[in-house]
Amino acid sequence: MATDRKGLTMKYIARSAAMTLCAAGLAMAAAPVSAVAAPSAVVVMDGEPTHELLLTSGQTVKVEILEEKSKELVTRLYIGTMSAEKTYQRSEIISITELGHSTEAKDSVSAKAEVASAVDADMPENALRVYVMELSGRFGWDISKTPIETAVEKARDMQADVIIVKCNNNWKQLEGFTDELSDDQGRFEFNTAETIQRVFTSEMQANWEKQPKVVFWVERAMSGMAFLPLVNSNIYFTSDGRLGGVEGLEGFYGSTGDEVVREKLESAMGGHVFGMAIAGGHDSRLVRAMTRKGYVLSYRIENGEPVYLEGEAPGGWILLTDDGEGENADTDYDIVRNQGNDALTFDADLAYKLKLSKGTADTLDDLLFEMGIEDRAYVLDDEDGDGETDSARYELDKWSSGINRAVQRLRAFQGDLANVQVRQQRGDDDGSRARNAARGQRIRIINQAIALLNKYGEVLDPGKQQRVDLELMKQQIENEKRLENMNRRGPG
Amino acid sequence: MTLRPIMAALVLAFAMLVPASAKAAGVYEPDIVKLTDGRELEGTIVKEQNGYIWLDMGVGQPLFLSPDKIEEIIRDSDEPLPTEVAAKEEKTWEHVPGVTRAAVITAEGMVGMQMSSTPLREAIPMLKEEGVDLVVFKVKSGGGYLLEIQQLSDVLHNEYKKEFQLVAWIDSAISAAAMTALTIEEIYFMPHGHFGAMTGWSGQLEAVEGRGLEAVYYKMEKISARGNRPDYVPMIRAMQHLEPASYDIDDETGKVKIYDTAAGEFVLNEGDTVLTLDSQQAEHCKFSSGTAATIEELQALLEQSVGEIVWVGESVPGIPYPVCKAEKHQMEYRKEVDFQDTNFREIVVKYQMELNNARGVAVDRRGGFLRRAEGYLARIKRMIKINPNFGIFTVNEEWIRQQEETIRELRRG
């Protein structure tokens, strides 16, 4: 993140040894100490079922497995808010399904553990506690709800007064190259932004006693990311900042089905994104201009305020977007230079002129100055002095590297499964023990894949159907085993 | 009122009426409450809550004793208090004259699945138990099955409105969810709230037509009448069709007149798209009674008409409004339907696998497979019991009966 440290009035100097451990990725070392300081997280772990059992009676029960024995399963059974220990015979259990939240619960414990050790000891008493996080990488992949939620939880634990969210999603044509995509290469997608924005709106209302000031600082908020900053009125741009690239609401469904149904669905999707802009205090017509190529919007400035006119610009008005039809269609010349006007994409100047942006700042110092807090701001947990809160970076990076690793492992999954060998064993005349051992190995591989999908499901398996397929594969393997056992015993 | 006169009366009554004969007869052993001031009281503890007790000493109202006054309790019996008394224990509220007890219940997810009339109806006794006067019906749904709209509207109109003052708070009400919310006369929006896009469709984005479409119109007419919005019918039609809608506001009376053309001063829809109202439009055309981002803002709006409000429910992390018992029930229902919905295909396929296994072995070896098949079938039945709409769109009762017969046949061989 670009920053000029000289201008920062207050610097972050000392850091505790525990924080050093955390920054080095040794979170587990700090966890036992901090777990004591974070009893609520321990309650979450202790207080929630981790598996669902399907019983031969048809009943399903939610349990935490305490001990697995050869013929029985010792569990803690959960019914509503109550729980009690209960032992099930394996013969009365049809299937055991892992519930999705167990991994996250463990993560939340370690996350809190890290935060608890990240107190800024040398911060002046009257400082404004500023938490800075940069959302970089691919939107809907690296930038996803869970890591952002975790980072914001840390901000809460650090009692941040201000949260600066730098929006800088990957808008490169190719990884490792500098050339960027053009504005018309984005796509209309609002679900991810709508999911993430709750972290900064309703969840913040519910989870923070004193609401922090949230500021979005836009370098690249392109494609679906463009909607995220709009939920807030505190938007700043970098001088080369851009927000948009979301044309495509119009004609989203192509020529499928009846026009009235396509219009209905587009109208519903529009309702979501226009609503987000209204909630952020912005004129929803700007979002219409961003998302609908056929929407014509003009403006002029009256008494310093932008005034909008739906339609072509008469004298004294400036055309923002035309209808993109015929000779109004953007040319290649316009498009490659980001000068098109079929759909609206904001640069820093236009955003400031239309009061979407409150100011332009290229460095964190400049931003704090624009915000009028440069003399009181203290950037929390910024040991490396890059102007970003270290624990936020840690959480966001942890997610990115984790999900990339998960994808690699899932890609290898089919190969791993196919490579399971049936190895001969002594005293296994009919080979059944060897085959069962191989089956057990395949089930372990499948369980590993399910665990990865449970952890990164919001990106990799949002509908959970891949996990269902894996459960069915497991069942198929179990069936093979049971049928073989039965056949081995001979005719009844 | 101080405790002393009550105590005096009770001590007198105690001396006159209660213990000696009963004790002597060995019939009755009272509970003994030793107080911190050294006194001992005898009677029956009829209610306990969070350390507070109500001691019935045989005359008048039970004596209320707070934990700080109690040194020790020697009980007649360890048995729990009767159910009726236990139920009374939960009542921790009382109606304060002039104060409205309000609660939020949420309708979320797909109409006919997570957003269903079943949990809504089940919530009514819970709301009554907590003394709720005013229910805020918070809607966040992208729509769903047309067939559930009438059920939902009936519960809201015929049952809720009889018991409570009912208002809607719109987060997102699209299609069937919007049609449902039309039942309610008083509608508030969240700032990002939106309402509309009610076009009925099925399959590959094919619009409902012919008699089916007329049936939807008729349903809307009836539901709009329930919500007392006959004047807004042109606007509601623009939420279903590519039809224009606009309105004027009378300068003197402030009354809104909606047109089925784009000729009014304020145009909602030119007719080239299907209308979805945003919160600003809804408030301006007086379709909504106001816009509130938070429960506190909503309270401020509601208090203008109902006076002081106290919210029923407890604070729950991550939820920006108090969660009452009825709301907890809605949340649990949705969670269950979500879970079952996600796993439905898995259960059905596993059921079929077990049947196939059974078919592949001799009759006398089928028992284990068929027991498992029955287990899965029982789970499918339970899903349908939770939400009958599962059955309508996936497996119905006839299918269940066929499967039961198949299992019997496989068992017989």
Side-chain angles (χ1 to χ4, degrees):
Chain A
M1 176 179 293
T3 183
D4 176 4
R5 298 292 293 161
K6 289 177 187 171
L8 283 175
T9 312
M10 300 175 188
K11 291 186 180 178
Y12 180 16
I13 302 167
R15 291 291 175 267
S16 67
M19 186 53 217
T20 308
L21 285 176
C22 291
L26 300 175
M28 291 308 291
V33 177
S34 302
V36 177
S40 61
V42 175
V43 169
V44 171
M45 276 193 74
D46 283 349
E48 288 199 26
T50 56
H51 292 78
E52 186 190 61
L53 307 184
L54 170 61
L55 306 177
T56 50
S57 63
Q59 189 188 6
T60 55
V61 289
K62 292 189 171 70
V63 301
E64 180 185 359
I65 296 174
L66 303 176
E67 190 180 356
E68 293 195 48
K69 298 178 180 172
S70 59
K71 292 193 173 173
E72 59 189 26
L73 212 58
V74 182
T75 71
R76 177 164 294 281
L77 171 67
Y78 288 85
I79 301 171
T81 56
M82 295 180 297
S83 66
E85 201 167 303
K86 181 163 174 62
T87 301
Y88 290 96
Q89 298 301 310
R90 283 194 182 270
S91 59
E92 59 181 325
I93 300 170
I94 291 174
S95 68
I96 304 171
T97 308
E98 192 179 352
L99 297 174
H101 50 66
S102 56
T103 315
E104 281 84 348
K106 283 174 192 162
D107 277 357
S108 76
V109 172
S110 64
K112 279 179 180 288
E114 290 154 32
V115 169
S117 60
V119 176
D120 296 272
D122 60 342
M123 183 171 51
E125 205 171 297
N126 297 324
L128 270 178
R129 305 165 72 95
V130 180
Y131 186 94
V132 185
M133 57 197 286
E134 179 170 352
L135 307 183
S136 54
R138 282 184 287 170
F139 191 62
W141 186 270
D142 306 285
I143 303 169
S144 191
K145 190 183 180 198
T146 294
I148 295 173
E149 202 167 45
T150 309
V152 169
E153 275 173 21
K154 288 193 168 187
R156 185 190 60 197
D157 292 346
M158 291 181 186
Q159 299 174 315
D161 300 304
V162 178
I163 298 177
I164 294 173
V165 184
K166 187 162 190 189
C167 298
N168 190 18
N169 68 313
N170 187 354
W171 193 237
K172 299 281 192 294
Q173 287 187 10
L174 287 168
E175 198 67 46
F177 289 78
T178 55
D179 285 342
E180 294 197 316
L181 298 165
S182 53
D183 295 347
D184 67 341
Q185 288 179 294
R187 66 190 180 98
F188 180 85
E189 195 277 320
F190 71 95
N191 285 320
T192 308
E194 192 174 58
T195 304
I196 294 173
Q197 59 90 17
R198 288 182 207 128
V199 177
F200 301 105
T201 55
S202 58
E203 290 182 16
M204 209 165 251
Q205 274 170 29
N207 296 336
W208 290 61
E209 275 185 29
K210 182 187 165 214
Q211 296 294 304
K213 178 176 184 174
V214 177
V215 173
F216 287 98
W217 185 21
V218 174
E219 185 167 337
R220 290 291 175 275
M222 298 300 288
S223 203
M225 179 86 159
F227 298 120
L228 181 60
L230 297 179
V231 299
N232 193 294
S233 60
N234 300 313
I235 300 176
Y236 293 80
F237 272 55
T238 60
S239 58
D240 66 342
R242 294 185 69 73
L243 181 150
V246 282
E247 64 182 59
L249 172 58
E250 208 171 43
F252 188 88
Y253 290 94
S255 58
T256 307
D258 294 330
E259 184 192 2
V260 67
V261 181
R262 295 195 299 268
E263 287 292 342
K264 165 240 174 73
L265 295 172
E266 289 169 14
S267 174
M269 291 193 292
H272 285 268
V273 293
F274 305 151
M276 280 194 264
I278 291 169
H282 308 291
D283 195 308
S284 64
R285 285 173 291 190
L286 293 174
V287 184
R288 281 177 210 274
M290 287 166 66
T291 55
R292 283 184 174 271
K293 277 178 83 171
Y295 184 71
V296 183
L297 187 65
S298 304
Y299 79 97
R300 68 181 178 193
I301 305 296
E302 292 180 4
N303 302 319
E305 294 293 324
V307 178
Y308 298 101
L309 174 72
E310 289 180 321
E312 297 284 348
W317 291 79
I318 301 163
L319 185 70
L320 261 181
T321 53
D322 61 24
D323 62 5
E325 294 288 334
E327 62 182 20
N328 286 335
D330 292 339
T331 63
D332 290 342
Y333 179 94
D334 298 326
I335 291 168
V336 299
R337 289 168 177 78
N338 289 328
Q339 292 174 357
N341 69 352
D342 289 354
L344 179 61
T345 290
F346 287 96
D347 61 21
D349 289 342
L350 184 62
Y352 186 65
K353 195 183 290 181
L354 299 184
K355 303 223 165 172
L356 183 85
S357 156
K358 288 185 170 176
T360 304
D362 284 335
T363 67
L364 182 64
D365 288 349
D366 292 345
L367 179 64
L368 297 174
F369 180 81
E370 286 288 326
M371 291 166 62
I373 59 170
E374 77 282 6
D375 58 342
R376 291 179 294 145
Y378 178 92
V379 178
L380 291 162
D381 186 18
D382 183 22
E383 187 177 34
D384 57 11
D386 66 349
E388 184 177 14
T389 300
D390 294 345
S391 46
R393 185 72 272 144
Y394 172 75
E395 283 304 325
L396 297 165
D397 283 349
K398 187 174 75 173
W399 173 267
S400 293
S401 54
I403 200 167
N404 289 329
R405 270 199 311 274
V407 169
Q408 285 171 6
R409 286 169 65 183
L410 288 168
R411 275 188 193 137
F413 165 74
Q414 288 292 353
D416 292 346
L417 216 52
N419 287 335
V420 172
Q421 303 284 325
V422 179
R423 299 185 190 283
Q424 279 190 329
Q425 297 183 15
R426 277 186 195 167
D428 179 25
D429 296 339
D430 64 357
S432 61
R433 271 170 48 197
R435 283 191 294 278
N436 283 342
R439 286 176 185 129
Q441 200 179 337
R442 284 161 64 198
I443 285 178
R444 278 195 294 280
I445 291 169
I446 294 171
N447 281 337
Q448 286 168 5
I450 291 173
L452 286 174
L453 291 173
N454 280 341
K455 185 164 187 180
Y456 298 105
E458 70 195 60
V459 172
L460 301 179
D461 185 25
K464 299 186 180 173
Q465 291 309 302
Q466 285 188 54
R467 276 164 279 183
V468 168
D469 288 341
L470 292 170
E471 290 292 342
L472 292 173
M473 282 176 78
K474 274 166 58 178
Q475 183 72 15
Q476 191 69 45
I477 294 167
E478 291 289 348
N479 283 344
E480 285 171 21
K481 184 178 168 183
R482 282 158 50 204
L483 283 168
E484 183 176 308
N485 288 345
M486 188 161 284
N487 291 331
R488 203 173 65 239
R489 289 203 295 268
Chain B
M1 181 187 287
T2 63
L3 202 59
R4 190 169 294 174
I6 301 171
M7 287 300 301
L10 288 173
V11 169
L12 179 61
F14 175 69
M16 288 170 64
L17 298 172
V18 187
S21 58
K23 268 188 174 178
V27 177
Y28 170 66
E29 286 291 332
D31 297 318
I32 299 169
V33 181
K34 294 184 178 178
L35 303 182
T36 49
D37 63 7
R39 288 177 297 150
E40 286 187 13
L41 303 178
E42 292 187 13
T44 304
I45 297 171
V46 293
K47 182 177 169 184
E48 283 188 71
Q49 192 171 299
N50 301 329
Y52 294 87
I53 64 166
W54 283 255
L55 185 68
D56 185 354
M57 298 171 72
V59 63
Q61 291 295 311
L63 178 65
F64 170 73
L65 293 166
S66 57
D68 60 324
K69 294 192 171 60
I70 301 168
E71 181 71 31
E72 186 187 359
I73 300 173
I74 302 165
R75 294 175 190 276
D76 170 40
S77 166
D78 289 329
E79 285 180 17
L81 296 171
T83 313
E84 189 186 352
V85 175
K88 283 181 186 169
E89 275 180 19
E90 293 181 10
K91 188 184 173 190
T92 56
W93 55 272
E94 61 180 55
H95 262 298
V96 177
V99 177
T100 298
R101 291 176 62 79
V104 176
I105 58 171
T106 53
E108 296 182 1
M110 187 171 175
V111 173
M113 295 296 282
Q114 292 86 355
M115 183 175 165
S116 157
S117 55
T118 304
L120 208 55
R121 181 176 285 111
E122 290 166 350
I124 292 173
M126 300 173 198
L127 291 162
K128 288 163 78 174
E129 184 191 319
E130 293 196 285
V132 171
D133 307 302
L134 185 153
V135 173
V136 175
F137 184 65
K138 183 170 177 287
V139 183
K140 184 179 176 186
S141 166
Y145 298 127
L146 281 169
L147 63 89
E148 188 69 11
I149 297 169
Q150 191 68 48
Q151 314 287 339
L152 283 161
S153 178
D154 287 349
V155 173
L156 292 171
H157 187 72
N158 298 334
E159 300 178 44
Y160 272 72
K161 286 183 187 174
K162 280 184 186 152
E163 301 287 350
F164 318 105
Q165 182 181 345
L166 184 63
V167 304
W169 192 19
I170 304 301
D171 182 322
S172 173
I174 295 297
S175 200
M179 295 188 198
T180 300
L182 280 176
T183 309
I184 300 169
E185 290 89 341
E186 197 173 342
I187 294 180
Y188 296 85
F189 273 54
M190 302 186 93
H192 63 269
H194 42 275
F195 185 106
M198 297 179 184
T199 315
W201 63 282
S202 63
Q204 293 294 307
L205 310 191
E206 288 155 2
V208 175
E209 291 178 337
R211 186 178 293 192
L213 184 59
E214 280 306 322
V216 176
Y217 286 158
Y218 182 49
K219 201 186 291 284
M220 280 306 90
E221 287 168 20
K222 287 192 296 182
I223 292 177
S224 294
R226 284 175 165 182
N228 199 21
R229 283 198 179 75
D231 297 343
Y232 285 88
V233 166
M235 187 182 85
I236 292 164
R237 284 182 66 91
M239 293 176 179
Q240 296 175 297
H241 296 282
L242 300 172
E243 289 183 3
S246 62
Y247 63 99
D248 286 331
I249 300 177
D250 189 296
D251 288 340
E252 290 181 6
T253 64
K255 196 169 175 359
V256 173
K257 172 72 179 166
I258 309 276
Y259 306 109
D260 59 2
T261 67
E265 183 180 359
F266 306 102
V267 178
L268 291 166
N269 194 26
E270 295 278 3
D272 54 351
T273 186
V274 171
L275 177 62
T276 297
L277 279 183
D278 64 42
S279 61
Q280 292 171 337
Q281 291 171 319
E283 188 167 347
H284 193 256
C285 73
K286 300 187 181 175
F287 179 78
S288 88
S289 305
T291 307
T294 63
I295 194 80
E296 292 80 10
E297 289 180 16
L298 182 66
Q299 180 175 343
L301 288 174
L302 291 170
E303 284 184 339
Q304 291 170 16
S305 58
V306 301
E308 188 182 346
I309 282 177
V310 58
W311 292 103
V312 175
E314 58 188 24
S315 173
V316 172
I319 299 179
Y321 53 85
V323 176
C324 65
K325 287 177 186 168
E327 169 59 2
K328 197 172 175 201
H329 180 64
Q330 307 305 305
M331 293 159 91
E332 284 169 358
Y333 180 88
R334 288 196 294 267
K335 199 172 168 186
E336 184 68 25
V337 172
D338 274 344
F339 185 81
Q340 304 289 7
D341 194 23
T342 304
N343 294 283
F344 185 77
R345 183 169 66 90
E346 180 184 336
I347 301 303
V348 171
V349 174
K350 283 183 172 176
Y351 165 74
Q352 286 162 343
M353 280 179 177
E354 297 297 344
L355 279 193
N356 288 337
N357 289 339
R359 287 189 182 104
V361 298
V363 176
D364 60 344
R365 292 287 174 84
R366 288 176 179 169
F369 296 123
L370 293 177
R371 273 199 301 280
R372 285 188 179 82
E374 283 172 329
Y376 289 123
L377 193 60
R379 185 162 166 186
I380 293 167
K381 283 195 276 191
R382 196 166 74 87
M383 289 174 175
I384 296 169
K385 192 177 172 190
I386 292 167
N387 184 344
N389 292 344
F390 255 123
I392 290 172
F393 298 103
T394 48
V395 292
N396 56 27
E397 285 184 12
E398 178 56 28
W399 183 87
I400 298 275
R401 273 194 293 276
Q402 285 172 4
Q403 301 310 308
E404 287 169 341
E405 182 55 32
T406 301
I407 290 170
R408 276 195 292 274
E409 283 174 8
L410 282 170
R411 196 163 268 144
R412 285 196 295 265

